[in-house]
């Protein structure tokens, strides 16, 4: 589907890994994008990096314009004031410390017009932690992406208790129009939804490894050749609904007591450096350190092929 350029301008604050990826999301959707970073070298470096990522998307058939047309909608600007003027959304992507987030949101709340939504990409911080004192706190929320958001569409919208329902709805609409899949947290919690679920999986994988039940390689296969195949098109609730003939209650009656006793025996993993050194050694035997970057590129290419496949199947999906 060819994108129609839209009269909607988005500011991206912080031109690192996630800021650049957000810029691609919105430019691909036809928005004008202004990109700002305090480090001039980050802004200077971003054009070739953006072009490389957008060209990869083009190669997988994931954009219908030339990479140059998409790139032309992204404008690096030298000041924060220029970045935010006349925007519907500011997406903040600076380093992950509470002090930095507090300082940038105070500045953004002063500079941005009253109708502009201010969203943070923070992975772990809650909007209430950096917006409480601000006059415009009703338009501040978290919009947590998954890396890279131009391939993985989930955005977790996590409002503070004082974020207005109207701001939440507008953020939801902006992300949806840009092709993302927003989900809403009904109340705040550290780590939102995705990182908490990822944390639970990691906790159990580390425990099983530390207690000697399986190798790193085999534990990875449990996901990539097992659960992960299904998880790319359905979640845990739909999974259990379909895994007993009569649905969720039937499944719970059959297996619930066992899951419960397993959960009762599960402990928080200590992330012991000695165990992590063994995990690292097993990984390095599989993949030498100099090949990490090449493998990350391979991962992104596999993701692009999967996204392209899912798009082709879209007509058959619900
Ligand atoms: N990396 C991930 O996988 C991932 C995923 C989801 C969310 N996030 C979140 O996204 C945010 C950015 O992460 P990243 O990985 O892109 O970091 P990064 O280090 O790649 O980029 C941060 C950029 O912000 C710039 N910056 C710092 N202070 C600034 C300021 N005051 N104004 C403007 N620019 C400023 C830096 O110069 C740098 O270019 C973090 O909050 C992180 O938790 C990261």
């Amino acid at each position: 589907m060819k994108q129609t350029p839209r009269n909607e301008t988005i500011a991206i604050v912080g031109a690192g890994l996630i800021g650049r990826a957000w810029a691609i999301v919105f430019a691909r959707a036809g928005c004008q994008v202004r990109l700002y970073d305090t480090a001039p070298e980050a802004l200077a470096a971003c054009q070739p990096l953006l072009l490389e990522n957008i060209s990869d998307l083009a190669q997988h058939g994931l954009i219908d314009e030339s990479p140059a047309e998409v790139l032309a909608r992204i404008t690096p600007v030298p000041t924060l004031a220029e970045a935010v003027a006349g925007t519907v959304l500011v997406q903040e992507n600076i380093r992950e410390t509470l002090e930095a987030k507090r300082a940038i949101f105070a500045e953004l709340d002063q500079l941005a017009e009253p109708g502009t939504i201010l969203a943070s990409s923070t992975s772990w911080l809650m909007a209430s932690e950096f917006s409480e004192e601000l006059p415009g706190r009703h338009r501040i929320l978290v919009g947590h992406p998954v890396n890279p958001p131009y391939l993985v569409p989930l955005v977790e919208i996590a409002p503070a208790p004082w974020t207005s329902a109207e701001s939440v709805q507008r953020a939801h609409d902006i992300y949806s129009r840009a092709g993302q899949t927003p989900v809403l947290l009904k109340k705040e919690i550290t780590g939102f939804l995705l990182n908490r679920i990822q944390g639970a999986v990691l906790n159990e994988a580390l425990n099983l490894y530390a207690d000697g039940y399986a190798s790193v390689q085999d534990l990875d296969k449990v996901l990539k050749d097992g659960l992960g195949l299904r998880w790319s098109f359905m979640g845990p609730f739909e999974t259990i609904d379909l895994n007993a003939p009569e649905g969720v209650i039937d499944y719970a009656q059959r297996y619930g007591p066992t899951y419960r006793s397993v959960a009762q025996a599960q402990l928080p993993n200590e992330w012991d450096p000695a165990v992590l050194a063994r995990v690292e050694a097993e990984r390095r035997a599989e993949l030498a350190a100099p090949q990490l970057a090449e493998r990350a590129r391979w991962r992104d290419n596999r993701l692009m092929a999967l996204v392209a496949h899912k798009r082709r199947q879209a007509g058959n999906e619900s």
Side-chain angles (χ1 to χ4, degrees):
M1 177 183 62
K2 185 144 179 114
Q3 289 301 337
T4 318
R6 283 201 253 112
N7 194 15
E8 202 165 62
T9 304
I10 309 285
I12 302 293
V13 176
L17 187 69
I18 293 300
R20 291 195 307 271
W22 269 125
I24 294 173
V25 166
F26 290 113
R28 178 179 63 183
C31 302
Q32 293 299 321
V33 178
R34 299 207 201 104
L35 192 51
Y36 169 73
D37 199 292
T38 41
E41 64 276 13
L43 275 190
C46 72
Q47 294 293 96
L49 293 170
L50 287 166
L51 185 59
E52 184 178 301
N53 294 146
I54 299 170
S55 300
D56 281 346
L57 289 176
Q59 268 183 10
H60 285 267
L62 295 173
I63 53 170
D64 302 312
E65 300 171 290
S66 71
E69 281 173 292
V70 177
L71 189 64
R73 294 197 200 101
I74 305 174
T75 311
V77 294
T79 66
L80 191 57
E82 277 172 82
V84 304
T87 54
V88 291
L89 171 79
V90 176
Q91 185 75 37
E92 169 278 316
N93 317 272
I94 72 167
R95 68 186 178 280
E96 181 84 353
T97 69
L98 186 53
E99 299 68 40
K101 302 292 190 196
R102 279 193 177 139
I104 192 77
F105 274 90
E107 217 178 333
L108 288 172
D109 193 34
Q110 271 197 338
L111 287 172
E113 287 146 28
T116 305
I117 303 292
L118 307 179
S120 175
S121 293
T122 177
S123 302
W124 294 96
L125 299 166
M126 295 185 283
S128 56
E129 295 177 272
F130 52 83
S131 67
E132 184 167 13
E133 308 296 328
L134 300 176
R137 64 185 195 168
H138 62 279
R139 40 91 171 249
I140 296 175
L141 45 77
V142 168
H144 174 238
V146 187
N147 180 41
Y150 55 78
L151 292 180
V152 188
L154 184 77
V155 190
E156 299 182 285
I157 300 182
W162 43 76
T163 310
S164 71
E166 192 219 340
S167 301
V168 171
Q169 186 61 51
R170 285 181 49 218
H172 190 283
D173 293 347
I174 293 167
Y175 291 132
S176 299
R177 283 199 297 274
Q180 304 303 97
T181 308
V183 292
L184 177 64
L185 273 89
K186 294 182 179 179
K187 51 186 180 175
E188 287 189 303
I189 189 166
T190 302
F192 318 119
L193 308 176
L194 181 140
N195 276 335
R196 294 187 74 87
I197 292 172
Q198 175 161 252
V201 171
L202 266 176
N203 188 71
E204 188 57 10
L206 282 166
N207 277 343
L208 290 167
Y209 177 74
D211 294 343
Y213 289 104
S215 65
V216 162
Q217 203 180 33
D218 278 355
L219 284 160
D220 271 351
K221 281 183 194 161
V222 170
L223 274 291
K224 72 175 182 175
D225 293 327
L227 288 168
L229 277 180
R230 214 158 40 204
W231 282 355
S232 95
F233 56 90
M234 67 172 60
F237 293 124
E238 189 170 358
T239 297
I240 67 168
D241 199 24
L242 301 184
N243 274 2
E246 289 172 45
V248 172
I249 303 294
D250 186 10
Y251 187 92
Q253 278 164 354
R254 291 166 191 243
Y255 310 113
T258 311
Y259 275 117
R260 193 163 179 278
S261 70
V262 168
Q264 273 171 337
Q266 278 167 338
L267 295 171
N269 188 271
E270 296 303 324
W271 291 70
D272 175 3
V275 172
L276 292 168
R278 284 171 37 220
V279 173
E280 168 87 11
E282 284 202 34
R283 281 298 309 150
R284 290 295 69 79
E286 283 289 307
L287 182 75
Q291 286 157 12
L292 278 166
E294 188 189 321
R295 183 74 173 172
R297 188 106 198 251
W298 170 87
R299 173 204 60 200
D300 288 348
N301 272 293
R302 300 311 306 148
L303 263 177
M304 281 185 255
L306 181 59
V307 172
H309 167 75
K310 287 183 75 149
R311 277 199 189 172
R312 285 194 299 274
Q313 297 291 313
N316 306 326
E317 287 176 9
S318 61

